[in-house]
Amino acid sequence: MSTRRRTASGLPLVLVALAWSMVVGAAPDIEFINLAPAPAAAATPGPRPSSPSPSGDVAHVGVGPMNHDHDHDHDHEAGAAVGAWTKPVQIIRPNAAHTSLEVLDDNLRMIARQSACDAGVAVISVVGPYHSGKSFLLNQLVEMFGSKASFDIGPTVSPQTLGMWAYIPEKKLDGKTVILIDTEGFFGTGATEEYDAKLFAVSTLMSSLMIYNSIKVIDQSQIDYLDLLSRRTQLFALKKSNSTPDYLTFPHLIWLVRDFIQELDTEPGTWLSQLLIDRSRYTLSNATEAITNSPLSPIENSLENVFSSIECHTLFLPSTTKETLRHLDSVPSDQLTDEFKKDLEILKAIVKNKTPAKANNKKFLQPAELVALLRMLVDAANGGAFPKVPSVWEGFLLYQVDLALRESKYYFEDLSRNILKTHPPLPEREYFEQLNSIKEGTEVFFKTHLLGMDNVYQAKLPILHKELESASSNSRLAYNQKVHEYCHQIKDKHASDLKSTLNAISLPLSEKDLITRQTAEKEATMNSFSRMLAGYDNIVKGLKKELENAVDTLLREHIHENNRQLQNELSSAVSLAVEPYNRAIKLVENASPPISYDDFTLLQKTCKDQSEDIFNQRSKVASGTAWHSTFLQSHRMEQITKEKELSELWSKTLETYVKKCMSEAHVCFRTKTSLQNNPLPVNTEKLFSELTQAKQECLSKFISNTTKFVPSSIVVEGKTQLSAGLEQSLLDITRRNNEIIQERFSRAYETALDSFERKLGSIDLPCDTEALDLDMRSLRHSSMKDYGSASVHSLSESLSRTERAKLEFALEKASEDLRKKNTEILTKQQAAVVGAVIFEMNEQKPHYWFQNSFAKDVKNLLTRKLAARGASPQTTEAIVNNIMGNDANFALFLKEAGSFSSVGSFVLRSLIGITVILVLLKWCTHSKIQYRR
C-alpha cells in the first residue's frame, strides 16, 4: 500500500506543479552567457572521504567538503592530464544541502584546454538510478576507445558518484573528441527530486548521446519518471531557446536495460515503442479540471517527441556469482558471460553510429565552447530558470478530497481484488458476505482520510457509494468471470487429467478390458468434478454436461486409438512373424556349402513353428476383434511367400553349389584325361578302361559332395547331367583316339596296298596263270606280313582284324584284277593262234581221212604255236585244252573236219577193234600157256 500511495500521491503533486508552471510560468528568462571559459571557482576538488556519500552510485575519486590542503595536488594532476587522461575528474558536485549544482573550474579547464579539432566534440552521458551499473558500463565504453577502464566501482549499498564526472579517452571517434560523462544516480539518499531534475537537464542538454541505464525491466514508473524529467528539461530549454536554439537540443537516447534475462518475442526497440504506445494518456487525474483541460497540458508530449531518436538495447548479466558482481572492476573481460559480451558489442556499435558532434548552427562545438555551455546550464538551473512546484493550499484541499475518494476506491478495489485472488474462488455465499464487509470497511477508511472534515465527508459519501457500487459491479463481474474460468479450468483439467490417464494406459488392450478401465476412469472423473465444484451450483450444471461430453469424446478417441494400436499390433505381428524366415534367408544366403537337405527341411519346420508362435503371442490381445481373421489370412500369405522365397533361395544356392561340383568334376576329369599326360593314340581297350575309371572317380566325388542334399531333384538332375557330360567327354576322347588309330590304320593299309600294287605292276604279262598265281600269293603273303608288323595293330585288336580283312580283300581283288588282265591278254593271243591254226589246217583238211588224226594234228599245231609265243608247257596245255574244249569256233572247225573222214574212221576203228581182239587172243593164249606151265 505504501508504495502505491507514493506513486499515486507524490508524483501527481509534481505533475500538478509542472502543469501549473506551464500555465503561469515559474521564473523569468536568463540571458545566455558568453561561451568563453569562466574563472576558477572558489571550491576545488579534494579527495573523497573514505565513508560512503549519501548520494551517488559508483565509487570514484569523490568530492568532499572544500579542502584547500589538496588544491596544489589537484592543479598538478589537472595540468598533467591535458594530453592524456589517466582517470575521470569531477566537473560538477552538489552543494552542502544537496539541492543545487556547483562546478569545479580547475577540472573544467582541463576540458577547455583540449585541442580543437574540425570534427568537434561528442559527449556521451550515462544517467539512471543509483547503483544501476553506470560506471561499469562507462568502463566498457572507455575500453572501446582504446583506454584502460578507470571509473571505480563500489561494492557497498551506498551511492558513490556525486554530481558529474568526465573522462576524455585518448582515441577519437571518427575525428571527434569524445567526452564520457558519469552522473549521480537518481533517488539517492539526501537528494531531492528537483536536484535530480537539474542534474538530468544539464547532462541532457550538453550531450550528443544519452544512455538511460535501468535494471531488469522497463515499468510504468520508470517511463513516468523519465517523462517527468524530460518535460521539466524541455521547459528549462524553452526558457533559454531564444538565445541558444541549436545548443539546447535533446540528444539521441538509448534506453539500456541491464541484467535482462526475460524472453522477448520482438526486438527491444519494438518492445519500448509498444510500451510507450500502450501507456495511458497522462490525464493528471489528481489535478484540477482546468489544468487537465488546459491547451498547454503536457498530455500530448512523450519521450519520442522530446528526444531526437530513441533506441532500446538489453544487456545480460555480466556475471552470475555474487562475489564477482560485487567486484566487477577487478574481473577480467574474458571472465564475463558470453551473452553479456555479445550484447555489449552490439551496444558499442550503436554508440559509435549514434554519437554525433555537439553543434551550434551546424558548427561543431570545441572543448572550450562546451565548457562555457556547461557553466551556462548550471548557472541557469541554480538561478531559478528551472521550473518549481508552487504551494497552493486550496489545490491541496481539492486534491485531498479527490485523493480520499480515489484512495477509498483503491482500498475497496484492492480488498475486493484480494478476495478474488483466493484459489479456488470463494463460494458464492462467502464471496458476497466478504464483499459487503469490504464496503463497510471502505466507508470507515474514507472517513479516516477526511478526519476533521465531517461536512466534506457527508457531502462526498453519496459519491463514494456510487463509486463503490460501480466497483462492486465490476468485482461481481470479475468474480463471475473468475468462477467461470475456474470451473472451466477444473473441467478442462479433469478432461486433461483423464486424457493423461488414458494416455498412460498401456495400449493395446482387449475390448473387454478397455471398456472396464474406461468406465472406472469416467466414473472417478465425474465424481471428482462434482466434489470440487460443490460451491458453484449455477455454473456446474451446464459444465457437468460439457465435461461428460468431453469425457465421452476422449473415450471414443481412446477406443479409436486402441483399435488403431490393435491393428498396428496385428500388422506388427504379421511383420514380426516373418522374422524367422528372414533370419533363415540370411542363414541360407551365407551358408557355404549350402545346408543339407535334412537341415533345410528342419529349418523350414522351425521357421514355420516360430512364425506361428510369434504371430499368436503378438496378436493374442486382438484375438477377438473383427480384424484378426483378416490379418491371420495375411499372415498365412506372408508365410507362403516367405516359404517360397526361402525354398527358391535354397534351391538357387544348391543349384549354384551343384554346378560348382559339376564344374569341379569336369575339371577333375579333364585333368585326369589330359592329352599332355596321356597322348593319343593309345590302346582302345586300355583307354576305355582308364576313361571309365576317371569318370567313375569324378562321379563318385560329385556324389560324395552332394550326398547330404539327396533326394533333391537338383542333385539328381545334376548327377544325370554330370554323368551324361562325362560320358560325352569319354566318347569324344574315344572317338578322337579311334579317329587317330583309324588314320594310322588307313595309312598302313594304303602303304601295304600301294606296295602290293607296285609289285604286281612289275610282273610281265601275259604269263602263265599258275606262275602268276604263285607270284601273287607270294606277294600277298609278303604284303600282309609287312602290314601285320606295323605298331598300329596293338592299339585296337578289333579294328586290326577288320582292317586286315579289308586289306586281304583289297589284295585279293588286286590279284584277281591282274589275273583277269593276264587272261584277257592270253585270250587275245589264243584267238590269234586259233585263227592261224584254223587257217593253216583248213588247207590240209582234204588230206585227212580220220577226224582224230586231224584233231591230233591241230592240237599239236596249237601246242607248237603257243610254245613259240613263250607260254609254259602248263599254260600251253591249259590253253590248248581250253581251246579244244571251250572254244565254239574251234569246235565247229573240228566238227566240219570229221564229215569228210568218216570212212577212214570206220576202217580205222575196225582195224583197231581187230587189233585189240588179236591182242586179247594172243594174251589169252599166252596166259593159258603160262597157266599150263
Side-chain angles (χ1 to χ4, degrees):
M1 289 294 293
S2 61
T3 302
R4 184 187 60 77
R5 288 173 184 170
R6 181 180 177 183
T7 303
S9 59
L11 183 57
L13 283 174
V14 176
L15 296 178
V16 170
L18 176 59
W20 182 257
S21 65
M22 293 178 62
V23 177
V24 300
D29 292 340
I30 300 177
E31 295 295 334
F32 183 64
I33 64 175
N34 186 11
L35 295 181
T44 58
R48 67 181 305 267
S50 59
S51 61
S53 173
S55 286
D57 59 345
V58 187
H60 294 313
V61 178
V63 176
M66 295 179 62
N67 190 340
H68 296 283
D69 295 336
H70 299 278
D71 287 347
H72 180 269
D73 295 338
H74 180 78
D75 291 340
H76 176 73
E77 291 180 4
V82 173
W85 290 39
T86 59
K87 61 182 179 179
V89 296
Q90 189 178 29
I91 57 176
I92 295 177
R93 65 184 178 189
N95 64 356
H98 223 122
T99 57
S100 61
L101 307 175
E102 296 180 355
V103 297
L104 300 177
D105 293 325
D106 290 344
N107 292 344
L108 284 179
R109 280 195 294 272
M110 292 174 60
I111 298 176
R113 286 198 297 267
Q114 292 293 319
S115 300
C117 57
D118 295 338
V121 177
V123 181
I124 303 174
S125 62
V126 180
V127 299
Y130 77 94
H131 266 316
S132 58
K134 299 186 296 299
S135 300
F136 175 71
L137 174 63
L138 282 167
N139 285 338
Q140 307 306 313
L141 297 182
V142 167
E143 293 180 358
M144 180 179 71
F145 294 103
S147 299
K148 186 177 180 182
S150 54
F151 289 94
D152 294 334
I153 302 173
T156 64
V157 298
S158 300
Q160 300 297 307
T161 302
L162 298 178
M164 186 181 296
W165 291 69
Y167 179 79
I168 301 179
E170 183 176 356
K171 184 178 179 181
K172 298 182 182 297
L173 177 62
D174 297 331
K176 299 185 290 287
T177 300
V178 179
I179 301 178
L180 300 174
I181 301 297
D182 189 11
T183 60
E184 183 176 347
F186 302 148
F187 316 119
T189 304
T192 63
E193 183 179 333
E194 183 177 359
Y195 173 80
D196 290 344
K198 291 178 180 179
L199 192 61
F200 176 82
V202 172
S203 61
T204 299
L205 296 176
M206 70 175 292
S207 297
S208 305
L209 173 69
M210 172 176 282
I211 300 176
Y212 183 78
N213 199 59
S214 64
I215 301 295
K216 301 293 186 182
V217 295
I218 300 175
D219 56 28
Q220 191 63 48
S221 62
Q222 293 181 19
I223 296 176
D224 289 341
Y225 192 69
L226 183 58
D227 190 37
L228 173 62
L229 294 176
S230 300
R231 287 171 179 171
R232 296 185 70 177
T233 300
Q234 187 182 34
L235 290 175
F236 173 68
L238 289 173
K239 290 180 177 291
K240 308 304 299 178
S241 61
N242 294 332
S243 57
T244 57
D246 289 335
Y247 281 134
L248 302 183
T249 56
F250 277 65
H252 299 285
L253 175 64
I254 298 177
W255 192 314
L256 181 63
V257 184
R258 301 284 296 280
D259 302 344
F260 186 79
I261 61 174
Q262 283 73 22
E263 181 177 356
L264 276 179
D265 56 0
T266 183
E267 294 295 326
T270 306
W271 172 47
L272 177 59
S273 297
Q274 189 62 43
L275 290 176
L276 296 176
I277 293 172
D278 293 343
R279 177 174 175 260
S280 61
R281 294 189 64 193
Y282 189 43
T283 61
L284 297 177
S285 57
N286 58 332
T288 62
E289 184 177 357
I291 295 177
T292 304
N293 296 329
S294 170
L296 298 179
S297 174
I299 294 174
E300 299 301 328
N301 291 334
S302 66
L303 296 176
E304 291 180 327
N305 294 330
V306 173
F307 288 93
S308 59
S309 67
I310 298 180
E311 293 189 21
C312 182
H313 186 64
T314 61
L315 283 181
F316 189 72
L317 287 167
S319 177
T320 56
T321 62
K322 184 176 181 180
E323 187 63 26
T324 305
L325 290 173
R326 286 178 178 176
H327 302 284
L328 284 174
D329 55 338
S330 60
V331 177
S333 60
D334 58 352
Q335 294 185 13
L336 299 177
T337 61
D338 293 338
E339 294 88 345
F340 176 81
K341 290 187 288 186
K342 179 180 178 181
D343 293 342
L344 182 62
E345 290 302 319
I346 298 175
L347 176 62
K348 289 180 179 180
I350 295 173
V351 170
K352 287 183 178 180
N353 295 329
K354 289 291 185 178
T355 305
K358 194 70 175 174
N360 176 26
N361 291 323
K362 298 183 180 180
K363 177 185 177 184
F364 297 139
L365 266 69
Q366 298 302 327
E369 296 173 331
L370 180 68
V371 170
L373 175 62
L374 177 62
R375 293 179 186 277
M376 180 274 295
L377 292 175
V378 173
D379 292 341
N382 293 332
F386 207 81
K388 296 183 179 180
V389 178
S391 177
V392 183
W393 174 249
E394 291 80 3
F396 172 76
L397 291 179
L398 293 175
Y399 166 74
Q400 189 65 24
V401 172
D402 188 64
L403 177 62
L405 287 172
R406 283 201 327 277
E407 290 293 332
S408 298
K409 183 179 179 181
Y410 293 156
Y411 176 80
F412 177 82
E413 290 175 347
D414 285 346
L415 294 181
S416 62
R417 279 195 294 267
N418 287 337
I419 64 175
L420 293 178
K421 291 179 181 178
T422 59
H423 187 80
L426 296 173
E428 293 177 342
R429 180 177 178 181
E430 185 176 352
Y431 166 74
F432 285 109
E433 289 178 355
Q434 291 196 22
L435 188 62
N436 292 331
S437 176
I438 292 172
K439 286 182 180 179
E440 296 174 357
T442 301
E443 292 183 6
V444 175
F445 181 83
F446 180 67
K447 187 175 183 179
T448 303
H449 270 65
L450 297 179
L451 186 63
M453 294 182 285
D454 293 339
N455 294 333
V456 177
Y457 167 73
Q458 294 297 332
K460 298 296 182 180
L461 189 58
I463 299 177
L464 177 63
H465 287 164
K466 184 177 180 180
E467 292 289 340
L468 293 182
E469 184 59 34
S470 175
S472 297
S473 177
N474 294 336
S475 179
R476 286 192 296 272
L477 290 175
Y479 172 76
N480 292 333
Q481 179 66 25
K482 184 172 183 179
V483 170
H484 188 270
E485 292 176 356
Y486 171 73
C487 293
H488 275 81
Q489 289 175 0
I490 295 301
K491 182 205 74 172
D492 295 341
K493 184 177 184 304
H494 277 74
S496 177
D497 290 346
L498 177 61
K499 184 176 182 180
S500 299
T501 302
L502 294 177
N503 290 338
I505 297 175
S506 179
L507 297 180
L509 294 176
S510 64
E511 293 180 344
K512 180 180 179 181
D513 293 342
L514 182 64
I515 295 300
T516 302
R517 185 72 178 272
Q518 285 186 343
T519 302
E521 295 298 338
K522 178 179 180 180
E523 183 178 354
T525 298
M526 297 308 297
N527 291 338
S528 175
F529 179 74
S530 298
R531 286 194 303 270
M532 293 188 68
L533 300 184
Y536 316 104
D537 298 334
N538 294 331
I539 300 177
V540 170
K541 295 178 182 179
L543 289 180
K544 188 171 184 181
K545 184 62 178 177
E546 290 182 12
L547 177 60
E548 189 171 359
N549 293 336
V551 168
D552 291 340
T553 300
L554 288 175
L555 295 182
R556 285 194 298 271
E557 293 176 353
H558 194 243
I559 291 173
H560 177 74
E561 177 64 19
N562 186 67
N563 293 338
R564 187 186 67 81
Q565 292 199 27
L566 285 174
Q567 295 183 38
N568 290 343
E569 192 69 16
L570 288 170
S571 178
S572 176
V574 173
S575 300
L576 293 176
V578 299
E579 284 302 315
Y581 287 101
N582 293 335
R583 292 193 295 270
I585 288 173
K586 290 183 178 180
L587 176 63
V588 171
E589 285 179 343
N590 299 327
S592 180
I595 60 176
S596 67
Y597 179 86
D598 295 337
D599 292 341
F600 179 70
T601 303
L602 178 60
L603 179 63
Q604 285 181 309
K605 183 178 182 304
T606 302
C607 289
K608 185 173 183 180
D609 294 342
Q610 291 179 353
S611 178
E612 288 293 331
D613 292 342
I614 292 173
F615 181 81
N616 292 334
Q617 291 176 3
R618 294 301 299 262
S619 64
K620 183 178 181 181
V621 68
S623 59
T625 61
W627 321 291
H628 186 270
S629 59
T630 302
F631 282 92
L632 179 61
Q633 184 179 3
S634 177
H635 165 62
R636 296 281 185 256
M637 294 299 296
E638 287 290 335
Q639 273 189 324
I640 294 173
T641 301
K642 286 297 182 179
E643 287 176 355
K644 182 179 179 181
E645 182 181 354
L646 180 62
S647 179
E648 290 177 350
L649 178 62
W650 183 76
S651 298
K652 182 178 179 181
T653 306
L654 180 58
E655 183 178 355
T656 303
Y657 178 74
V658 169
K659 288 182 178 179
K660 177 183 177 183
C661 293
M662 291 172 61
S663 177
E664 292 176 350
H666 282 293
V667 171
C668 176
F669 184 79
R670 287 195 295 270
T671 303
K672 290 180 178 292
T673 60
S674 173
L675 295 180
Q676 295 180 354
N677 299 330
N678 301 286
L680 298 180
V682 295
N683 185 271
T684 55
E685 289 79 6
K686 179 181 178 182
L687 177 64
F688 181 78
S689 175
E690 291 176 353
L691 291 177
T692 302
Q693 182 180 356
K695 171 187 173 183
Q696 291 300 327
E697 289 177 356
C698 296
L699 195 60
S700 298
K701 183 178 180 181
F702 173 82
I703 294 172
S704 174
N705 291 334
T706 59
T707 299
K708 61 181 180 179
F709 306 110
V710 177
S712 171
S713 60
I714 297 175
V715 176
V716 176
E717 183 179 354
K719 180 182 177 183
T720 302
Q721 293 179 358
L722 176 62
S723 179
L726 295 177
E727 183 65 26
Q728 184 62 42
S729 299
L730 184 149
L731 293 177
D732 291 341
I733 296 175
T734 302
R735 183 173 62 254
R736 177 61 180 159
N737 187 65
N738 290 338
E739 289 176 353
I740 297 174
I741 293 175
Q742 182 66 49
E743 183 180 354
R744 292 192 177 186
F745 269 112
S746 297
R747 287 199 300 269
Y749 168 84
E750 294 293 337
T751 301
L753 184 59
D754 289 344
S755 177
F756 180 74
E757 288 178 347
R758 285 194 304 271
K759 290 178 180 179
L760 287 180
S762 64
I763 298 176
D764 295 329
L765 297 180
C767 64
D768 183 66
T769 303
E770 292 180 359
L772 179 62
D773 289 339
L774 181 62
D775 290 340
M776 286 191 298
R777 281 196 300 271
S778 176
L779 291 176
R780 283 199 304 271
H781 179 73
S782 176
S783 296
M784 291 302 297
K785 183 177 180 182
D786 292 341
Y787 176 76
S789 64
S791 60
V792 69
H793 295 282
S794 64
L795 298 177
S796 176
E797 294 180 1
S798 61
L799 189 59
S800 176
R801 288 192 297 271
T802 301
E803 293 295 321
R804 185 183 294 274
K806 178 180 176 182
L807 180 61
E808 287 178 352
F809 177 80
L811 295 178
E812 184 62 31
K813 186 177 182 301
S815 298
E816 183 64 25
D817 292 340
L818 185 61
R819 188 181 294 112
K820 287 181 179 181
K821 183 177 180 182
N822 185 61
T823 301
E824 289 177 355
I825 296 173
L826 289 175
T827 301
K828 290 180 180 180
Q829 290 180 353
Q830 176 182 330
V833 170
V834 169
V837 169
I838 291 175
F839 177 77
E840 186 175 343
M841 289 304 293
N842 275 332
E843 294 179 353
Q844 298 181 16
K845 270 185 183 182
H847 302 288
Y848 286 91
W849 287 3
F850 300 100
Q851 184 179 13
N852 290 336
S853 60
F854 179 78
K856 181 178 178 181
D857 288 339
V858 169
K859 182 178 179 182
N860 291 332
L861 182 58
L862 287 172
T863 302
R864 288 195 302 271
K865 285 187 176 290
L866 291 174
R869 290 182 176 272
S872 64
Q874 294 83 0
T875 302
T876 300
E877 184 178 2
I879 295 173
V880 170
N881 291 333
N882 182 56
I883 294 173
M884 296 294 289
N886 298 320
D887 194 313
N889 294 326
F890 199 75
L892 179 61
F893 170 70
L894 289 179
K895 186 177 179 180
E896 291 177 351
S899 61
F900 62 82
S901 61
S902 60
V903 175
S905 297
F906 176 74
V907 172
L908 180 60
R909 286 191 298 268
S910 297
L911 290 177
I912 291 173
I914 294 172
T915 300
V916 169
I917 292 172
L918 290 178
V919 170
L920 288 173
L921 287 176
K922 184 178 181 182
W923 182 78
C924 289
T925 301
H926 179 72
S927 296
K928 186 176 177 178
I929 294 173
Q930 289 292 335
Y931 182 72
R932 287 177 178 175
R933 290 178 177 173

